[in-house]
Amino acid sequence: MSDWPEGWTDDNRGGDRGNRYGQGSGSDRPEGARVMRHVQRHPAAPQQRPAPPRPRQAPPQYADNTGYDSGYNTGQVYGGGGSNGPGGGRGDGGQPYGRPAPDWGRRIKVGTLSLVVVVLAVSIGTYFWADSKLNREVDLSKVIERPKEGDGTNYLIVGSDSRAGMTDEDKKRLHTGSAEGKRTDSMMILHDGSNGPTLISLPRDSNVEIPSYKGSDSGKLYPARGRFTKLNAAYAEDGPELLVRTVEFNTGLHIDHYVEIGFGGFANIVDAIGGVELDIPKAFKDKKSGADFKAGKQTLNGEQSLAFVRTRYAFAESDLARTKNQQKFLAALASQTATPSTILNPFKLYPTMSAGLDTLIVDEDMSIWSLGQMFFAMKGVTGGDGTSMNMPISGSTGGNLAWDKAKVKQLVDQLNNDEKVTVSEK
């Protein structure tokens, strides 16, 4: 039986072995073309899939966890979404590997420290700016024969009728007139001590003795002549130094600091803080000061405030009533200025400070810190911690107000010893 498919012969498979092509024939002639009949092939046996290659093992120097990196790649793909890879795995706390959890405690500390540094920088800058604007024009070292210092701090606060820096329109609007020079329009002693602040008004018509003094400009010594006159005449005669000398001589109280503000600066401060609210118990008018007030609570602007503290002819007690209004107003001004809405608001704080400091005149030893202490002591007068009063008056002499010498001595002793004031003004 032939092994070849049907129709195939030995000739078909190339019986001439010597002439076969492709069958190992040694002939150089190719075999003739043949017709390839359809061959039915049996299905090929299924091939077995090759076994997967063994995973490579990392060299010992990489797998021993010594930290040495030979550059050998284990086949791991980084940056994928695997659960253990450096790019896709997650560590303890649910944070991705390579991205540590935020240290909120440290961030809060750094933020707080940064805020403190900024606040300190602004505060220090503001302090030196304000301190540089103080007009230190009064030299208290020129005052002679001064009484000894007592406990606490005593400020002599003076409101002058200075019109420096005011235009003709300002003078007309504020009803100040156009008098040359300047005089004292109000005088107060503010004592700041451990028993609360005490504010004492010195009526400008007080009858006082002008003592010996040294000229503030000439340095010449003027002897005492036993001359009695109104207290405001001392200021008119030789300025702040003689006024301080006269107050100390007639009271026995040592004045530590001098503070003076003029008409224009006073009105500007009130306008800068948006006005001062006052409760006026009784309506009054005064053509000379321009005052025209109804009874009740109301907010006064700069022009109205100046009229309020200057009015004297509308009251039967004249100057004594005016000093009471001055105390009331200054305490309200300090109370409404020293508030968070003003201190923490730079758009309100800086205009207010600038308005006051531009026209404020102080002694050479006054610092912005001392001025601030004075301001808060003034605020304490209305806060229930302090006392306000006029200098005790016993009567009048030739139209001037005579002080009650016994009460004045008792009052000064209490202030010098920083005791609670029990003296009454009447």
Side-chain angles (χ1 to χ4, degrees):
M1 180 175 177
S2 173
D3 293 330
W4 295 97
E6 183 180 356
W8 280 57
T9 65
D10 286 340
D11 290 338
N12 293 124
R13 71 181 179 91
D16 186 2
R17 295 182 180 273
N19 295 323
R20 287 184 298 173
Y21 179 78
Q23 301 291 332
S25 172
S27 174
D28 57 350
R29 292 189 314 123
E31 297 180 294
R34 297 186 181 95
V35 178
M36 180 68 73
R37 296 185 64 179
H38 176 73
V39 179
Q40 184 176 0
R41 299 181 184 272
H42 297 286
Q47 295 182 355
Q48 294 183 351
R49 298 180 66 182
R54 286 185 175 182
R56 296 182 180 180
Q57 298 295 326
Q61 65 270 28
Y62 184 86
D64 63 2
N65 296 323
T66 60
Y68 172 77
D69 184 3
S70 66
Y72 179 81
N73 188 349
T74 64
Q76 186 174 2
V77 179
Y78 294 99
S83 62
N84 295 323
R90 305 184 74 83
D92 295 339
Q95 292 294 327
Y97 284 111
R99 186 182 298 172
D103 187 348
W104 289 109
R106 181 176 180 276
R107 290 186 180 185
I108 292 173
K109 289 179 181 179
V110 171
T112 302
L113 180 60
S114 300
L115 179 61
V116 170
V117 170
V118 170
V119 171
L120 283 176
V122 172
S123 300
I124 293 172
T126 300
Y127 179 90
F128 284 104
W129 167 78
D131 193 72
S132 68
K133 292 179 71 67
L134 286 177
N135 300 309
R136 298 181 174 91
E137 299 178 7
V138 179
D139 186 0
L140 294 183
S141 67
K142 295 180 180 179
V143 180
I144 63 174
E145 301 176 16
R146 308 192 67 186
K148 67 177 183 178
E149 296 183 14
D151 295 330
T153 304
N154 300 313
Y155 302 86
L156 180 59
I157 303 172
V158 175
S160 75
D161 64 359
S162 172
R163 298 154 178 84
M166 296 174 62
T167 64
D168 291 339
E169 183 180 348
D170 291 334
K171 295 174 184 177
K172 183 178 180 180
R173 176 175 58 87
L174 298 175
H175 301 274
T176 64
S178 299
E180 296 297 328
K182 60 180 181 178
R183 287 155 291 278
T184 52
D185 207 59
S186 61
M187 290 162 284
M188 302 178 187
I189 293 174
L190 175 64
H191 174 82
D192 185 19
S194 58
N195 280 288
T198 302
L199 184 62
I200 307 165
S201 287
L202 308 176
R204 69 176 190 175
D205 291 341
S206 297
N207 193 57
V208 295
E209 181 181 355
I210 302 297
S212 60
Y213 68 95
K214 182 186 294 186
S216 57
D217 292 329
S218 65
K220 180 181 177 181
L221 183 62
Y222 293 88
R225 294 178 293 172
R227 177 166 56 101
F228 284 81
T229 185
K230 293 181 179 181
L231 180 59
N232 65 342
Y235 183 96
E237 188 170 328
D238 198 50
E241 288 83 1
L242 179 54
L243 178 61
V244 171
R245 167 72 173 136
T246 302
V247 169
E248 290 187 340
F249 177 81
N250 285 270
T251 63
L253 190 67
H254 181 91
I255 300 299
D256 298 293
H257 291 295
Y258 177 91
V259 181
E260 176 187 327
I261 190 167
F263 283 160
F266 180 83
N268 289 340
I269 291 175
V270 175
D271 287 334
I273 66 170
V276 174
E277 185 180 62
L278 277 184
D279 188 0
I280 300 177
K282 186 178 179 181
F284 65 89
K285 291 184 179 181
D286 181 23
K287 289 184 178 180
K288 291 190 175 182
S289 67
D292 186 2
F293 298 105
K294 297 179 180 179
K297 286 186 178 181
Q298 50 202 290
T299 299
L300 279 58
N301 61 24
E303 177 183 346
Q304 294 169 323
S305 299
L306 190 58
F308 181 81
V309 299
R310 294 184 61 218
T311 299
R312 62 184 297 194
Y313 297 105
F315 309 119
E317 293 182 301
S318 187
D319 202 36
L320 292 178
R322 179 171 70 165
T323 57
K324 285 292 186 182
N325 281 343
Q326 290 171 347
Q327 290 177 351
K328 180 178 181 178
F329 183 87
L330 289 178
L333 174 63
S335 179
Q336 294 173 40
T337 303
T339 61
S341 63
T342 299
I343 295 175
L344 300 179
N345 183 355
F347 298 101
K348 210 171 183 180
L349 175 63
Y350 288 100
T352 302
M353 294 180 67
S354 182
L357 296 175
D358 283 343
T359 58
L360 208 64
I361 296 175
V362 299
D363 63 273
E364 293 182 347
D365 294 328
M366 173 71 86
S367 67
I368 200 69
W369 177 260
S370 298
L371 190 63
Q373 289 180 311
M374 183 202 81
F375 197 77
F376 280 95
M378 183 77 75
K379 180 182 178 180
V381 172
T382 56
D385 298 329
T387 303
S388 61
M389 59 184 294
N390 280 324
M391 186 65 80
I393 303 296
S394 61
S396 62
T397 302
N400 297 341
L401 298 173
W403 292 356
D404 188 323
K405 294 184 178 181
K407 286 188 175 182
V408 169
K409 184 179 185 310
Q410 183 183 0
L411 173 63
V412 170
D413 287 342
Q414 290 177 344
L415 294 178
N416 276 330
N417 296 323
D418 203 14
E419 299 171 353
K420 186 175 180 59
V421 173
T422 60
V423 179
S424 65
E425 62 184 65
K426 293 182 180 179

